[in-house]
Amino acid sequence: MKSYRKELWFSTGKRRAFINITREVEACLRESGIREGLALVNAMHITASVFINDDESGLHQDYEQWLEHLAPHAPVSQYQHNRTGEDNGDAHLKRQIMGRDVVVAITAGKLDFGPWEQIFYGEFDGRRKKRVLVKIIGE
Ligand code: ZN
């Protein structure tokens, strides 16, 4: 069995952002040389997510509104977590609901997606460098 590991780095200018990382993961898969197996892609930070859905701007705005409704950023005093002096209590909750990671099947050297599926990095407390881990195993 072959094994491949790579860290992808992201730094968003804004506190929150969604970035399509499908091309980066496909590049990792090519570099790995693996044709049949599994790819794990996970955020390495507790205020960021990796998830799969459609690359559609309306949907991304809907996520932003929905997440802000569930866990508004302000007032920051509403979160017990922020008593530590941080202001990212909402980002921890947003990360939880959007997920830590995805696993994608690899078939014949390609990511074996369903219709319209793309991989996204979801940032909820950005404006600093953060990492995504890509781990690919197989033959
Ligand atoms: Zn925090």
Side-chain angles (χ1 to χ4, degrees):
M1 189 192 75
K2 283 197 251 181
S3 175
Y4 171 94
R5 181 187 191 277
K6 188 161 190 177
E7 293 176 4
L8 306 175
W9 287 85
F10 299 96
S11 183
T12 61
K14 292 188 294 181
R15 182 180 287 271
R16 287 188 293 279
F18 296 123
I19 301 171
N20 188 333
I21 62 170
T22 311
R23 298 295 160 262
E24 283 99 327
V25 177
E26 286 172 344
C28 290
L29 179 54
R30 278 194 299 278
E31 201 172 88
S32 77
I34 291 169
R35 304 277 304 162
E36 296 290 329
L38 293 171
L40 167 75
V41 186
N42 68 267
M44 297 183 82
H45 301 265
I46 51 181
T47 53
S49 288
V50 171
F51 63 95
I52 291 182
N53 216 298
D54 193 0
D55 195 358
E56 198 268 304
S57 61
L59 178 62
H60 295 173
Q61 285 176 356
D62 291 339
Y63 278 137
E64 170 65 20
Q65 280 180 27
W66 177 62
L67 292 167
E68 203 52 29
H69 177 73
L70 289 172
H73 174 70
V76 297
S77 60
Q78 73 191 299
Y79 299 103
Q80 310 251 345
H81 175 71
N82 290 342
R83 292 184 187 171
T84 61
E86 292 187 84
D87 68 350
N88 66 1
D90 66 308
H92 289 273
L93 300 178
K94 286 164 174 149
R95 182 274 170 102
Q96 202 69 42
I97 205 154
M98 294 303 282
R100 170 184 183 265
D101 53 65
V102 300
V103 176
V104 183
I106 298 157
T107 305
K110 303 255 190 247
L111 296 172
D112 202 343
F113 286 130
W116 304 108
E117 285 190 333
Q118 302 274 303
I119 305 171
F120 292 89
Y121 176 67
E123 177 60 78
F124 307 114
D125 185 27
R127 302 174 300 186
R128 56 197 165 106
K129 286 182 73 181
K130 290 164 83 170
R131 286 174 293 166
V132 166
L133 177 66
V134 180
K135 181 86 180 191
I136 305 174
I137 56 170
E139 300 290 343

